[in-house]
Amino acid sequence: MSRGRLRVYLGAAPGVGKTYAMLSEGRRALERGRDVVVGLVETYDRPRTAALLDGLELIPRRTLVYRGATFTELDVDAVIDRAPKVALIDELAHTNVPGSRNAKRWQDIDDILDAGIDVISTVNIQHLESLNDVVQQIAGVPQRETVPDEVVRRADQIELVDMSPEALRRRMAHGNVYGPEKVNAALSNYFRVGNLTALRELALLWVAGRVDDQLDRYRADHGISATWETRERVVVALTGGPEGDTLVRRAARVAARTKGADLLAVHVTSSDGLAGGDPVHLARQRTLVESMGGTYHQVIGDDIPRALLDFARGVNATQLVLGASRRGRLAHILSRGVGVETTARSGSIDVHMITHDEVKKGRRHPTRTRAALTRERRLSGWAMAVAGLPVLTAILSMFREDLSLPSEILFFLLLTVGVALAGGMWPAITAAVGGSLLLNWFFTPPVGGLTISDPQNLFALIAFVVVAVAVSTIVDIAARRTREAARARADAEVLSTLAGHVLRGEAAVPSLLARLRETFGLSSVTLLERVGRPTPADRSQPKDWRIVATSGGTPCMSPSDADTDVVIDDDLVLTMRGHLLDAADRGVVEAFAAETAVALRQQRLEEAAEQARPPAELDRLVTNLLDMSRRAGVLRLALQPVALEEVVPRAVDDLGPLYDRVDGDISIGLPEVVADPVLLERVLVDLMSDAVRHSPPDQQVAITASRYGDHVRIRVIDRGPGLPPEVYDRVFLPLQRLGDRDDHSGAGLALSRGLAEAMGGTLVPEETPGGGLTMTLTLPISASPA
């Protein structure tokens, strides 16, 4: 059975029409003959949204009792048993009541997808985990309910439900989003034009990033290497020299010419040790790139122009910035250099050659050992052996009468050493054997044969062969050690880069997979997790594995699909596609795999901790309980006309050091209310102190008042975590703590509600638009002035 497909409607803010769009799509699917059910939808009493439910089958919700209260949640088992083709399930980021099948609704949806059922869901941009802190800075409201970005990115289809800030505010003013009593507070707080504009930009940019991922996957799946200029991406190549600072700043200016352009810096570490860079310069330039909003990358490649262009094409770069060469004139004559070669191969990528102050200073090579033997050097060694032996024989034959056999042996030994230095052991051994035969035939009496008349000449030839072989072996061993040292150096630089990402908090699973893919030039990297218990054949069964995270093109569905895989533990396997990795690369890959597992476990621990946060701060609860016991049955009221513009400032002053956390907006034109001034002040103090406690330190609590018929409504508005509407009635239970979060305690609110009702008023909680809790105190208007 194939896995279901997930479609997500993403919005910038509540009220843009995500649920409406989801239900509309469900109705269209039903009209096309598909079997559609509503797993769970929240209409929030919006008539046009509720009307779309007509004609759709609703799956009954599951009822749960938690701490004496009744809640309803999505019934996952009922949806799976019903087995429709499509299920409509609202609010992807919702946190389930303890005792549910899963902690999060997105996990419920994952189970339904595994059952082969397509799901259509909704989510707002502020609920994405990676944007949680950004949204808090913009709107001043922390979001307690979040969903990992990877969950949404894995969706088969994401549609942005977009609406301009002005249009959304008009919908709000017309009462299409919230009730009339909430409109003013919403428009003046969360739904300000600036907030909505910033949230809209976040949503557009996030969806644009998702489109980039889809484009990269399409290009990888279809083997498209040509650059598609869908978005400006500027890559700057860093050698590790001092000129890198100039190149980074120039590349940043190039990127800044186009809004939304990406800046990427890349350093190529050659596996043969020829392209080293100063670590101090690279570290400084990396910090500079990241301070300008760019990203730093490191790849391994022997052919530097090819490695640069492979990386640039892999990220779909449009422009490549290189520094002018610091090589001398002779070096330019011998080879074209990285800049010229890269430009010649760049194709549709624009290459900028930037001059800098280091050009005139020439290139300073760090001290290092000789490089390992490349294919070109080995070929040159064979060429020297094949061509050098007859040439040397011809030259020495002309001076046969003037040279002795030991001198001729030394010349052949010198040629053998040269071959060994150029081409390694086997060309040198060939030269040694061939040289001994030529010495025997042309220079050892009797000349013209392979017999040797003088035993001393025999010993000389044997010594020549032994020395030649020994020198060849030593040169080959030195080359191998140099190759291993260069490889270790390249691996160390990659691991240093990995450690830097971890220390800077960039160890999210998708980021690590992307780094691994870029480093080794892979087409895709996928982290798989086993589903159920191990079986002998599960490595080749996609149904036994699920994708935790992936980067690049088509992901591996099981370990057998991979070109290379690394088993992390009994349940996790890191799979890679693109090409087979060398055995020497496996150590680095295993380091990436281990760090990926740590990042995954850390992510899951944080999610578990969020679900298990214990209640705290019991001192205030005890104080309020004692106060209630003293007042029970003996409360006397002194009801009289009271002016709010007099009582509210006194209540704010009673907050002591917290008074500057409250922003009061009480009009002097409001009518007086009927209340006991002392008790009203006490109620307001309790409500404001409770609101301050649950608001972020940088956010003020608002207190407003307005006339509504023959009553005045006083609202105390906080920006804290808020409460689900289902538990509003429970907040007034005297001995109640709500859930496992630091929520509003029941005793203080129970006392305040009792006092409000004793004065002929009401106290009810409401959701603060954008997040938080609003306590609304309603009191009757006085018929006569005080």
Side-chain angles (χ1 to χ4, degrees), residues 435-449:
S436 67
L437 295 175
L438 292 172
L439 282 168
N440 191 2
W441 184 275
F442 289 101
F443 303 104
T444 304
V447 177

Side-chain angles (χ1 to χ4, degrees), residues 80-92:
I80 294 176
D81 292 342
R82 170 63 177 75
K85 292 296 183 182
V86 181
L88 310 181
I89 303 174
D90 214 356
E91 298 186 353
L92 182 66

Side-chain angles (χ1 to χ4, degrees), residues 296-514:
Y296 177 87
H297 306 263
Q298 186 164 295
V299 297
I300 297 175
D302 294 328
D303 186 338
I304 295 178
R306 178 178 178 180
L308 285 176
L309 291 172
D310 284 347
F311 174 82
R313 294 188 178 109
V315 298
N316 205 20
T318 56
Q319 302 188 62
L320 179 60
V321 176
L322 302 173
S325 176
R326 290 181 285 152
R327 303 187 312 152
R329 293 182 179 178
L330 180 59
H332 278 293
I333 295 174
L334 297 176
S335 67
R336 297 200 295 180
V338 171
V340 176
E341 191 67 30
T342 303
T343 304
R345 303 185 198 174
S346 62
S348 60
I349 300 176
D350 296 335
V351 178
H352 303 263
M353 296 292 294
I354 308 300
T355 187
H356 48 83
D357 293 339
E358 299 297 321
V359 173
K360 58 186 178 183
K361 299 179 182 179
R363 186 170 182 175
R364 297 182 293 276
H365 294 277
T367 303
R368 55 176 176 253
T369 59
R370 181 174 293 273
L373 297 183
T374 62
R375 180 173 179 272
E376 289 75 14
R377 286 186 57 184
R378 291 194 299 270
L379 290 176
S380 66
W382 285 109
M384 287 180 62
V386 173
L389 289 174
V391 171
L392 180 60
T393 300
I395 293 174
L396 293 180
S397 296
M398 293 186 294
F399 301 96
R400 182 180 298 156
E401 302 297 329
D402 301 323
L403 295 174
S404 64
L405 180 61
S407 299
E408 293 160 342
I409 290 176
L410 287 176
F411 278 110
F412 274 92
L413 181 60
L414 181 62
L415 174 63
T416 303
V417 171
V419 171
L421 293 174
M425 182 173 65
W426 292 110
I429 291 177
T430 302
V433 174
S436 67
L437 295 175
L438 292 172
L439 282 168
N440 191 2
W441 184 275
F442 289 101
F443 303 104
T444 304
V447 177
L450 295 178
T451 58
I452 301 175
S453 59
D454 190 345
Q456 292 184 356
N457 293 339
L458 175 63
F459 292 139
L461 289 175
I462 293 173
F464 162 77
V465 174
V466 171
V467 171
V469 171
V471 170
S472 303
T473 303
I474 292 172
V475 170
D476 186 75
I477 292 174
R480 290 177 183 272
R481 295 292 182 267
T482 302
R483 184 186 301 112
E484 293 169 358
R487 185 70 195 188
R489 172 185 173 184
D491 291 347
E493 291 187 18
V494 172
L495 292 173
S496 174
T497 302
L498 172 62
H501 285 290
V502 175
L503 292 174
R504 284 189 299 276
E506 300 174 13
V509 174
S511 175
L512 290 171
L513 298 187

Side-chain angles (χ1 to χ4, degrees), residues 85-121:
K85 292 296 183 182
V86 181
L88 310 181
I89 303 174
D90 214 356
E91 298 186 353
L92 182 66
H94 172 76
T95 300
N96 293 331
V97 173
S100 302
R101 174 174 174 148
N102 295 298
K104 294 282 191 176
R105 183 164 293 163
W106 65 263
Q107 295 169 324
D108 294 339
I109 291 176
D110 210 39
D111 291 344
I112 295 172
L113 292 171
D114 287 338
I117 301 171
D118 293 348
V119 175
I120 305 177
S121 190

Side-chain angles (χ1 to χ4, degrees), residues 636-670:
R636 294 184 178 179
L637 299 177
L639 297 178
Q640 56 186 286
V642 176
L644 292 179
E645 63 266 27
E646 297 176 0
V647 176
V648 172
R650 290 201 303 268
V652 173
D653 290 338
D654 288 345
L655 292 174
L658 301 179
Y659 79 95
D660 60 347
R661 295 282 308 281
V662 177
D663 181 17
D665 184 18
I666 305 299
S667 172
I668 60 173
L670 285 174

Side-chain angles (χ1 to χ4, degrees), residues 716-736:
V716 179
I717 306 166
D718 73 52
R719 293 295 182 183
L723 296 172
E726 307 93 90
V727 301
Y728 281 173
D729 290 336
R730 293 175 51 211
V731 301
F732 299 107
L733 297 178
L735 295 175
Q736 182 62 51

Side-chain angles (χ1 to χ4, degrees), residues 212 215-216 219 224-237 251 254-255 260-266 295 297 307-322 342 345-352 517-518:
D212 286 339
L215 179 60
D216 291 343
R219 283 159 47 84
I224 300 172
S225 59
T227 299
W228 288 4
E229 298 184 17
T230 56
R231 182 176 181 178
E232 285 291 338
R233 287 184 177 85
V234 181
V235 173
V236 54
V254 172
D262 295 332
L263 173 64
L264 304 92
V266 59
T295 56
H297 306 263
L308 285 176
L309 291 172
D310 284 347
F311 174 82
R313 294 188 178 109
V315 298
N316 205 20
T318 56
Q319 302 188 62
L320 179 60
V321 176
L322 302 173
T342 303
R345 303 185 198 174
S346 62
S348 60
I349 300 176
D350 296 335
V351 178
H352 303 263
R517 179 176 59 84
E518 294 165 357

